[in-house]
């Protein structure tokens, strides 16, 4: 189906992709943003429900409000860490929300497809899992386009609903800042900061039953 070079390119993007926090103010063309969103829209979804929507945010005023919501929650979460770990956590940047030319809020509509979506009745959270597949597609497409993407995952959902006028039943899953960067690390930022290490794959694989290596 694919040539050796094409397969290697797919894996290269998977391994190259990073969660980025520093961006340049260089604008992104609308064509590139559309390609990234179209890649997201071609993600798999349970029951083909396609529960996602995308709010493209370019307003500096709105980005300031989003950064405020993220910083407020970051400070609230800091109480869970002590000493050096607290210092490192507070050092995590949310300024990317203001620096990046574009931030995209990815939402999930749990009502899309009606009350009986094929494959979702037994596991309701598959709507969120499907939205996560769209986010992964965005991340890989952004990397392939030479762009950086950062996922800000700490905020109160109602703060984001209020800022972006999102209806109460819609779930704001992610704030994704997208832009060009001159800081693209070889390893994940949290790994470089010694927050966590990548687990050996061999320890995560079982055969036939849980715990059977």
């Amino acid at each position: 189906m694919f040539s050796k070079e094409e397969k290697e390119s797919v894996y290269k993007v998977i391994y190259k992709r990073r969660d980025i926090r520093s961006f340049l103010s260089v604008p992104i063309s609308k064509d590139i943003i559309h390609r990234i969103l179209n890649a997201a829209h071609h993600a798999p979804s349970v029951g083909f429900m396609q529960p996602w929507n995308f709010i493209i945010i370019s307003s500096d005023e709105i980005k300031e409000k989003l950064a405020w919501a993220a910083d407020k929650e970051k400070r609230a979460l800091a109480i869970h860490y002590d000493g050096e770990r607290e210092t490192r956590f507070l050092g995590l940047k949310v300024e990317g929300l203001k620096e990046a030319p574009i931030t995209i809020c990815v939402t999930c509509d749990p009502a899309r497809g009606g009350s009986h979506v094929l494959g979702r009745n037994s596991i309701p959270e598959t709507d969120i899992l499907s939205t996560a597949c769209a986010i992964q597609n965005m991340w890989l497409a952004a990397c392939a386009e030479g762009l950086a993407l950062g996922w800000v995952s700490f905020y109160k959902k109602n703060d984001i609903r209020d800022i972006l006028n999102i209806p109460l039943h819609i779930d704001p899953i992610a704030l994704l800042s997208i832009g060009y960067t001159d800081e693209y690390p070889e390893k994940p930022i949290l790994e470089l900061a010694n927050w966590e290490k990548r687990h050996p794959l061999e320890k995560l694989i079982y055969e036939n039953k849980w715990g059977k290596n």
Side-chain angles (χ1 to χ4, degrees):
M1 186 179 295
F2 300 104
S3 68
K4 179 182 178 182
E5 290 75 17
E6 288 170 333
K7 287 187 288 186
E8 288 177 348
S9 294
V10 172
Y11 285 104
K12 182 178 180 180
V13 172
I14 290 171
Y15 298 141
K16 180 75 174 176
R17 177 215 60 80
R18 294 287 177 263
D19 186 15
I20 302 298
R21 290 288 179 265
S22 297
F23 300 91
L24 303 174
S25 59
V26 179
I28 310 169
S29 76
K30 291 184 178 179
D31 286 345
I32 291 177
I33 293 296
H34 184 267
R35 285 200 293 271
I36 291 171
L37 293 179
N38 201 32
H41 191 47
H42 280 76
S45 61
V46 172
F48 203 42
M49 70 180 299
Q50 305 161 74
W52 43 72
N53 281 88
F54 310 97
I55 304 174
I56 303 174
I57 302 144
S58 57
S59 162
D60 289 338
E61 179 183 356
I62 295 177
K63 287 190 284 186
E64 286 276 357
K65 292 178 179 179
L66 295 174
W68 164 82
D71 187 63
K72 177 171 69 103
E73 184 64 9
K74 183 180 74 169
R75 294 181 185 281
L77 290 172
I79 65 171
H80 298 289
Y81 305 108
D82 295 318
E84 181 187 354
R85 204 164 174 84
E86 178 187 11
T87 302
R88 280 187 286 158
F89 178 75
L90 287 171
L92 295 177
K93 288 185 63 176
V94 297
E95 286 84 355
L97 283 167
K98 295 184 288 185
E99 291 176 356
I102 294 292
T103 288
I104 298 177
C105 179
V106 184
T107 65
C108 175
D109 183 352
R112 189 159 300 162
S115 58
H116 297 286
V117 174
L118 179 65
R120 180 175 175 261
N121 288 344
S122 299
I123 307 177
E125 59 270 25
T126 50
D127 55 358
I128 295 176
L129 299 178
S130 298
T131 305
C133 289
I135 292 169
Q136 177 74 343
N137 275 16
M138 290 178 67
W139 225 324
L140 298 178
C143 182
E145 294 284 356
L147 289 163
L149 184 151
W151 183 342
V152 175
S153 57
F154 32 83
Y155 51 77
K156 293 295 186 188
K157 291 183 179 181
N158 280 339
D159 284 341
I160 304 306
R161 289 188 179 102
D162 289 344
I163 293 169
L164 300 179
N165 295 330
I166 298 172
L168 282 175
H169 75 284
I170 301 294
D171 206 354
I173 299 296
L175 293 175
L176 305 176
S177 294
I178 302 178
Y180 295 97
T181 187
D182 54 7
E183 298 180 25
Y184 210 98
E186 287 300 312
K187 293 182 178 181
I189 293 172
L190 292 182
E191 185 175 0
L192 289 173
N194 293 318
W195 186 270
E196 184 58 271
K197 298 184 183 297
R198 190 178 300 280
H199 299 293
L201 177 60
E202 293 73 19
K203 294 185 177 181
L204 305 176
I205 300 173
Y206 300 139
E207 292 286 344
N208 296 315
K209 291 187 178 183
W210 182 270
K212 298 283 187 179
N213 294 107

